[in-house]
Amino acid sequence: MSSSRLLFDEPGPRARRRIRIATALTLLGGAVLVALALRQFGENGQLGADRWRPYGTWPMWGYLLEGLRSTLYAAAVSIVLATAAGVALALGRLSPARWLRVPSAAYVEIVRTVPALLLVYIVLFALPKYGLDLPLFWKLVVPLSVSNAAAFAEIFRAGIRSVERGQLEAGLALGLTRGRAMRLVVLPQAARRVLPSLVSQSAGLLKDTSLGYVVSYAELLYSGKVLANYNHLLIQTYLVIALIYLVINASLAKLARTLEARQRTRPSRAVREAAPAARP
Amino acid sequence: MNVITDHLGEFGDGLLLTVELTLLALAGALATGIAVAAMRVSPVRVLRAAGMAYVEVLQNIPLLVWLVIAVFGLPEIGVIAGLFTTSVIVIALYQGAYTAEAIRSGINAVPAGQGEAARALGLTFVQSLRLVVLPQALRTVVQPLGNIAIMTLMNTALAAAVGVVELTAAANRVNLAEAQPIWIFVTAGLAYMALSAVFGLVTGGLERKLAILR
């Protein structure tokens, strides 16, 4: 880590002793925290083997993994839709035509500052009053796609702008129309550059699918709610669910970092600086 | 349009709660973020690892899962706090992970010579961080912190899912009472946009004021 070199030198004998003391204190503090947590669990009878044994059996896991499958499915469909909309919006914002630029910019700026849950409530409670009652799956996927499309649009816009102007001009000089030069020359390069940001934004979208809890769509979190109502192992169930999310999203985060490291060989700093950090 | 003026009180209460949630959570997130970022650049390996684990665990589990665990799970192990307090703490800890990453990138952007100069003056790790490095790091991350502020505002809406009647929940309640969803949700959306715009203006102003001319 380059940053760690900023604030301290190679430690000498006294510094090493201080570091050892700090290490011991940290470990002690951690142990105290764990002990306190275990005490709370124990005093409230949450440590009994019977409270955890169900999660060593297949039916519970089977039910949760079914929920996970729905989570991944909803996320995949939303990612496809949000990516398609994102590319369209990014091209719209960069288009020379005003009638495309203004609405695209407006969409992105507005949606970025409206909570996803508000969009979910609109789909759940407002649209049916106007005769639009979507199937359950789409009640989750539509608001997710609408809200994430704005984030994907900004990522693609940063990517397209990071491709040197000469690339587009070269395409035009070959006699391609603007649209074809964009599609054949600029977009493929932009897509490659924004891949890490797309992966981390997709991890963010995967987290957003937990709004299924509100929609009553049986993704992972809502499945957990149903399961906890049935087996009364509330805290155990939610901890297992948290663990599943952690494993999946940590893998995605690692993938994003790997892709980014691979790109360092061909730096595209403009993308990394201009692309907004993944939203939650 | 009457539907808005009739329920101005409920909207006002919801808006107030959203603003309170956001500001308190942001204060907590900034404190958490500075502490965790300091851990991640410290000479103590265990602290570095703990800071990294904190960020990974908090960022990779959805905020709604954290809220559900805290609101419905903690009472099961005898930890009971008010709904609003619980929500503020959970959102603060969650956004704290993002804040830590932003601040760490700011620390990395401080020229190495600054840290070396601080050490040459004989400042300890904590002193050089507090007096030399952090003030400069925080100035360079005003923009990312502004984005985190807007993200925090968006995330306070999730508190509605566990029963806090903030702006989103208030809008929904009014909608269930009156059958005019368009006006109600547009009003709520505009309120969020206005709040985001305020954050944007504050961020922009701070950035101009604090910019370091190198």
Side-chain angles (χ1 to χ4, degrees):
Chain A
M1 267 200 21
S2 55
S3 64
S4 55
R5 293 265 64 89
L6 173 69
L7 288 157
F8 50 88
D9 292 305
E10 202 50 49
R14 264 161 70 193
R16 270 206 295 276
R17 205 180 74 219
R18 271 205 302 273
I19 288 175
R20 269 203 301 277
I21 292 170
T23 303
L25 285 176
T26 309
L27 292 174
L28 188 69
V32 167
L33 276 179
V34 171
L36 278 176
L38 285 176
R39 201 192 67 170
Q40 286 303 114
F41 271 86
E43 280 185 353
N44 293 282
Q46 297 292 356
L47 281 183
D50 59 316
R51 314 278 309 160
W52 289 94
R53 197 176 296 119
Y55 284 102
T57 63
W58 173 243
M60 299 284 172
W61 277 98
Y63 190 78
L64 286 183
L65 290 178
E66 189 59 34
L68 176 62
R69 212 180 56 100
S70 301
T71 284
L72 295 175
Y73 180 53
V77 174
S78 306
I79 288 168
V80 170
L81 291 174
T83 305
V87 172
L89 286 164
L91 289 175
R93 271 193 99 163
L94 294 166
S95 142
R98 239 196 102 167
W99 63 272
L100 274 174
R101 232 181 18 241
V102 174
S104 311
Y107 177 95
V108 172
E109 293 306 323
I110 289 172
V111 170
R112 262 186 37 182
T113 54
V114 173
L117 184 61
L118 194 67
L119 297 175
V120 167
Y121 279 159
I122 289 173
V123 170
L124 279 182
F125 304 114
L127 296 185
K129 288 208 173 95
Y130 301 108
L132 183 59
D133 201 356
L134 296 168
L136 191 58
F137 174 73
W138 296 103
K139 277 184 175 155
L140 176 62
V141 167
V142 167
L144 283 192
S145 306
V146 165
S147 94
N148 278 278
F152 278 91
E154 286 303 271
I155 292 172
F156 279 113
R157 188 165 69 113
I160 292 169
R161 286 179 65 180
S162 79
V163 176
E164 298 72 18
R165 240 200 109 61
Q167 296 286 333
L168 180 69
E169 285 164 0
L172 296 174
L174 290 173
L176 296 173
T177 59
R178 205 190 134 84
R180 294 191 70 180
M182 266 285 175
R183 203 179 70 227
L184 300 169
V185 180
V186 179
L187 268 181
Q189 298 185 64
R192 206 167 311 139
R193 290 185 190 187
V194 298
L195 199 56
S197 305
L198 286 184
V199 172
S200 49
Q201 185 61 40
S202 298
L205 192 151
L206 190 90
K207 286 199 287 182
D208 285 348
T209 58
S210 58
L211 284 169
Y213 182 85
V214 179
V215 182
S216 309
Y217 170 72
E219 43 66 67
L220 184 54
L221 184 57
Y222 185 73
S223 302
K225 184 182 174 180
V226 174
L227 193 58
N229 277 337
Y230 161 75
N231 65 13
H232 304 298
L233 303 174
L234 203 126
I235 201 147
Q236 289 80 356
T237 306
Y238 286 131
L239 285 178
V240 168
I241 283 173
L243 191 68
I244 298 176
Y245 275 118
L246 181 61
V247 168
I248 291 187
N249 275 321
S251 318
L252 280 175
K254 193 160 169 43
L255 174 66
R257 279 196 296 269
T258 311
L259 288 169
E260 186 144 10
R262 197 181 298 170
Q263 291 206 339
R264 290 264 162 74
T265 49
R266 291 185 52 200
S268 49
R269 288 190 45 196
V271 175
R272 274 204 300 281
E273 282 166 11
R279 284 185 319 108
Chain B
M1 206 54 232
N2 282 345
V3 69
I4 305 302
T5 45
D6 288 350
H7 294 276
L8 213 51
E10 282 153 89
F11 274 109
D13 291 346
L15 184 64
L16 194 64
L17 213 49
T18 286
V19 172
E20 284 174 1
L21 268 174
T22 308
L23 293 181
L24 289 170
L26 272 178
L30 197 61
T32 311
I34 289 174
V36 173
M39 282 163 72
R40 290 202 63 175
V41 297
S42 80
V44 184
R45 182 193 292 262
V46 183
L47 279 177
R48 285 204 299 270
M52 212 162 126
Y54 179 87
V55 171
E56 283 288 312
V57 170
L58 267 288
Q59 277 191 355
N60 286 320
I61 295 169
L63 176 57
L64 190 52
V65 175
W66 287 120
L67 282 168
V68 168
I69 288 179
V71 172
F72 303 115
L74 285 183
E76 300 254 312
I77 56 163
V79 181
I80 296 167
L83 196 53
F84 180 82
T85 316
T86 309
S87 305
V88 166
I89 292 171
V90 171
I91 297 171
L93 292 176
Y94 179 83
Q95 299 296 1
Y98 287 88
T99 313
E101 286 301 271
I103 292 173
R104 197 170 62 96
S105 73
I107 291 176
N108 286 338
V110 175
Q114 296 286 328
E116 285 163 7
R119 281 203 304 279
L121 292 174
L123 298 182
T124 63
F125 169 75
V126 175
Q127 282 174 323
S128 56
L129 197 59
R130 191 168 58 93
L131 302 168
V132 179
V133 176
L134 263 186
Q136 298 184 60
L138 287 174
R139 285 175 169 217
T140 56
V141 293
V142 170
Q143 191 61 46
L145 289 180
N147 287 339
I148 288 174
I150 291 175
M151 177 176 146
T152 308
L153 171 66
M154 297 296 103
N155 278 332
T156 56
L158 286 177
V162 290
V164 178
V165 190
E166 43 59 79
L167 184 54
T168 298
N172 200 32
R173 283 189 175 198
V174 175
N175 174 49
L176 295 177
E178 309 271 349
Q180 294 187 31
I182 281 272
W183 286 115
I184 293 163
F185 285 116
V186 164
T187 304
L190 285 173
Y192 277 110
M193 277 180 232
L195 287 174
S196 298
V198 170
F199 282 135
L201 286 174
V202 170
T203 310
L206 274 178
E207 195 158 41
R208 271 194 301 283
K209 213 168 157 163
L210 298 175
I212 305 170
L213 301 170
R214 292 204 201 279

